[in-house]
Amino acid sequence: MRVDDSLVIERRAVISGAGQSDIGRRLYRDPLELTLDACLVAIADAGLTTADIDGVATYPGPMDVPPGFSGAGVVDVQDALRLELGWWSGGIESPGQLGSVINACLAVAAGLATHVLCFRSVWEGSAQGDKGRAGVMGGGGGGYRASGFMEWTMPFAAPSAAIWIAMMAERHFHEYGTTREQMAQIALNARKNAGVNPNAIYRDPMTMEDYLNVRMISSPLCLYDCDVPCDGATAVIVSHADTVADLRKPGIQVEAVGTALRGRPSWDQFDDLTTMANRDAGAQLWTRTDLKPSDVQLAEMYDGFSFITMTWLEAMGFCGKGESGPFIEGGERIARDGVLPLNTHGGQLSAGRLHGYGFLHEACVQLWGEAGERQVPGDPEVGVAAAGGGPLAGALLLTRRR
Amino acid sequence: MTAMRFDLPTPDLETEPFWDAAKEERLLIKHCNACGKYHFYPRPFCPYCWSDDVEWFEASGRATLYTWSVVHRNDLPPFPEWLPYVAAIAELEEGPRMMTNVVQCEFDQLEIGMALEAVYYPTSEDVTIVQFRPRPASS
Ligand SMILES: [Zn+2]
C-alpha cells in the first residue's frame, strides 16, 4: 500500500555535502583526526561552516570492542568542532549503518536541526595490525564466555558473520541454483570499478580465474568475497530542503527510505535465510514513492560479503526473488555502462570497509557528477544507497534536484 | 593459567537445563503449551504467542540439514584445531533450527535436506555440545 506523501517526511531532507578522510589499509593515525578530516571536508563541500551545523548523527557511537570498529562518538566531534546542537544521536541499534543518516533526515523534518553532520569512522586496519581478526576478539584480554545469542553460536564453532553469511549463501545456491561464478561478479565488478577510483585500496585487475583459485574462508565464500578492513572516515551533511538556496551545490533529494525489520532478528531462526531484514526495508521503501526499481540508474549496496549485495539486489526489486545469480551473470548489467551500475567505487570488497557510509558517499558523488574517471555515463539522476546485512538494513532512494 | 578459548558458554538460570541435559546426551528445546509450537534457543516466553506457559521438551534428535559451510579459517581458539570443519544449521524434526556442526560426514557427501541425528561431544569437563551426523535411513 502506498504511504500518503504527506507522511513521507524524509523528503524534507536533502544531502548537501559529502567528504572522506584519507583511506588506507593501515594509516596508524588518530581516529578522531580522521573523523574530523572527513567532517570538515563535508561541511565545506556543502558551502557551510561549523557554525551552521546544529545536529550530529553517527553509527555506532563510541565502542572499545571490537577495536577499530568506532573511531569517534558524537560528543568527541561536538567538542572538537565546538558545535552547538539542537539534536544528536549515535548508536548501534538502528536500521543498519545508514539508520543514523535516516535519523538525521527525520530530525531536520521535525525542525530539531537544520544541518546535521553524519559520520562513520573506522580504524580496523590499524587496530587489527598483523594479527587478523583473532587479535581483535582477544583484544579485551583475559577470558571470554559466550552469553546471549552468542551462547548458541560460539560453543558450536559458528562465531562470525563470515560463517553465518556463508550458510545463507549455501542455502541460496541450493534453492535457486546460484553458482560461485555468478557470485564472483560482485567481487570482479567491484575490483574493476576500484581500478578507476584513486582512493580504493585494492586496484589491481582481478580475473575469474583469480577468484576461483583463491583460498576458501568459509564455503562458498572465498577470500575475495570478504571485505577489506581499513582506516578511514566518511561524512555527509543532511540539510532541511528549505535551505537549498544557501547551499554551494544542488542538494540531493532524499526521495524515500526503508527501515523495516519484520522477521526474527536471528541468523538461524529467520523465516527465510536466503534473505534477511533488507527484504523488509526494501519492500517498505517502495511504498513511499512513485518511482520504481526500473527508474534507478545506479545502486551502491553493502558488500561486507559479496553475497549480501545479491540479497540487496533482490530486496530492492532490481531482480526477482532468487534471481540475483542470473541477473549478475557475466557482469554486464552491473557494470558502469550497464542497466544498473553497482558499487561504482569498488565497494568494501576493493575500496575498503568504510562500513556502510562509503555507499552513500559514492551515490552522492555520482549524482553530483563528480566521480571523475568512474562517473556513470548518462547524467544519472536516481540512485540507491543501501547498507547492512542480516538483521540490520537501511536504504535511501536519492534523486538529484533540478 | 589455561589457554584462552572462545567456545565456552555462560549458562544462566534460563539456559542451564539445556547444558545439563547435553552432558547426559539429551537435547532439550522449549515447548509452548498455549500455541503448541517448539522453539530454540530457550526463552522464558514463547516467541510466537508470547505465552509464558513454556516448558522443556526432550527433542528426538532427528533433524534435516538446512544449510552448511565448510570453515577453513577461524582464528579463535580452540577452533584452529578443528579446521577444516562443518558449520551447519540443522532443522529439528520439531521445527526449530539450531546452529551446530555436522560430523562423521565427508564434505562431498553434505547435501541440504539430508537426514541427521544428534551426537554429543564434550568440549570441556563442564560443557558438552550437540552436533549432528548423517542418519541412516532405517532410524
Ligand atoms: Zn506459543
Side-chain angles (χ1 to χ4, degrees), chain B residues 32 34-37 46 48-51:
Chain B
C32 172
C35 75
K37 286 189 178 169
C46 171
Y48 302 102
C49 77
W50 306 280
S51 167

Side-chain angles (χ1 to χ4, degrees), chain A residues 57-59 94-105 259 357 387 393-396:
Chain A
T58 192
Y59 175 100
S94 71
Q97 301 83 358
L98 296 178
S100 50
V101 176
I102 295 169
N103 285 345
C105 295
T259 53
Y357 269 55
L396 296 94

Side-chain angles (χ1 to χ4, degrees), chain B:
Chain B
M1 193 179 129
T2 52
M4 193 195 301
R5 53 190 290 184
F6 291 84
D7 64 325
L8 298 178
T10 316
D12 54 28
L13 284 179
E14 185 55 38
T15 64
E16 206 164 28
F18 172 89
W19 295 106
D20 287 346
K23 273 193 282 190
E24 299 166 1
E25 308 210 335
R26 297 185 298 128
L27 171 56
L28 289 192
I29 60 176
K30 282 280 188 83
H31 177 254
C32 172
N33 291 321
C35 75
K37 286 189 178 169
Y38 298 89
H39 71 265
F40 187 81
Y41 36 98
R43 293 282 180 82
F45 294 91
C46 171
Y48 302 102
C49 77
W50 306 280
S51 167
D52 62 0
D53 186 10
V54 293
E55 62 183 4
W56 290 102
F57 176 86
E58 187 171 332
S60 69
R62 284 189 292 272
T64 53
L65 183 58
Y66 181 80
T67 188
W68 54 276
S69 173
V70 178
V71 179
H72 296 270
R73 174 82 191 265
N74 185 340
D75 299 331
L76 301 175
F79 305 123
E81 298 161 27
W82 295 29
L83 297 174
Y85 66 89
V86 180
I89 297 177
E91 191 159 78
L92 304 179
E93 187 173 65
E94 293 82 4
R97 300 183 199 128
M98 66 181 289
M99 287 209 191
T100 184
N101 313 118
V102 173
V103 295
Q104 301 174 38
C105 183
E106 298 295 330
F107 297 158
D108 63 5
Q109 298 299 303
L110 290 161
E111 197 178 345
I112 286 176
M114 72 191 289
L116 301 172
E117 64 186 8
V119 292
Y120 298 85
Y121 176 67
T123 51
S124 79
E125 248 172 59
D126 304 325
V127 177
T128 293
I129 63 169
V130 185
Q131 299 179 319
F132 288 82
R133 68 181 175 198
R135 168 161 46 101
S138 54
S139 58

Side-chain angles (χ1 to χ4, degrees), chain A residues 96-139:
Chain A
Q97 301 83 358
L98 296 178
S100 50
V101 176
I102 295 169
N103 285 345
C105 295
L106 302 182
V108 299
L112 291 166
T114 304
H115 299 290
V116 181
L117 169 63
C118 307
F119 70 89
R120 170 88 181 97
S121 68
V122 292
W123 51 292
E124 291 178 311
S126 294
Q128 291 175 10
D130 301 324
K131 289 177 293 187
R133 294 192 185 187
V136 169
M137 288 297 289

Side-chain angles (χ1 to χ4, degrees), chain A residues 7-226:
Chain A
L7 299 174
V8 185
I9 60 168
E10 63 266 38
R11 213 169 288 156
R12 297 179 200 168
V14 299
I15 295 176
S16 56
Q20 283 181 324
S21 68
D22 288 345
I23 296 162
R25 187 80 175 86
R26 294 186 186 96
L27 297 175
Y28 296 111
R29 279 183 60 196
D30 178 353
L32 178 59
E33 196 187 340
L34 287 175
T35 308
L36 297 177
D37 282 358
C39 291
L40 292 171
V41 173
I43 293 167
D45 190 50
L48 301 171
T49 70
T50 53
D52 299 309
I53 301 298
D54 59 357
V56 176
T58 192
Y59 175 100
M63 284 173 65
D64 293 330
V65 179
F69 189 68
S70 174
V74 170
V75 295
D76 299 319
V77 169
Q78 188 264 353
D79 194 40
L81 299 180
R82 293 301 321 127
L83 302 174
E84 295 185 17
L85 304 181
W87 175 87
W88 57 287
S89 172
I92 197 165
E93 287 206 300
S94 71
Q97 301 83 358
L98 296 178
S100 50
V101 176
I102 295 169
N103 285 345
C105 295
L106 302 182
V108 299
L112 291 166
T114 304
H115 299 290
V116 181
L117 169 63
C118 307
F119 70 89
R120 170 88 181 97
S121 68
V122 292
W123 51 292
E124 291 178 311
S126 294
Q128 291 175 10
D130 301 324
K131 289 177 293 187
R133 294 192 185 187
V136 169
M137 288 297 289
Y144 175 90
R145 300 284 292 202
S147 62
F149 168 63
M150 293 302 262
E151 186 175 348
W152 309 105
T153 61
M154 289 295 256
F156 303 92
S160 69
I163 295 172
W164 305 334
I165 300 281
M167 291 196 287
M168 292 173 70
E170 182 64 34
R171 183 74 198 184
H172 195 279
F173 281 27
H174 170 78
E175 287 192 26
Y176 302 111
T178 314
T179 66
R180 284 194 69 213
E181 285 79 359
Q182 291 170 339
M183 187 163 71
Q185 294 299 339
I186 299 292
L188 298 179
N189 176 69
R191 181 59 63 91
K192 200 169 172 186
N193 289 332
V196 284
N197 175 6
N199 296 322
I201 291 186
Y202 290 132
R203 303 182 60 204
D204 294 338
M206 183 196 293
T207 65
M208 178 66 85
E209 202 184 346
D210 295 333
Y211 176 91
L212 293 174
N213 290 327
V214 78
R215 65 191 163 87
M216 274 288 169
I217 299 296
S218 194
S219 71
L221 304 181
C222 67
L223 181 66
Y224 295 145
D225 291 312
C226 306

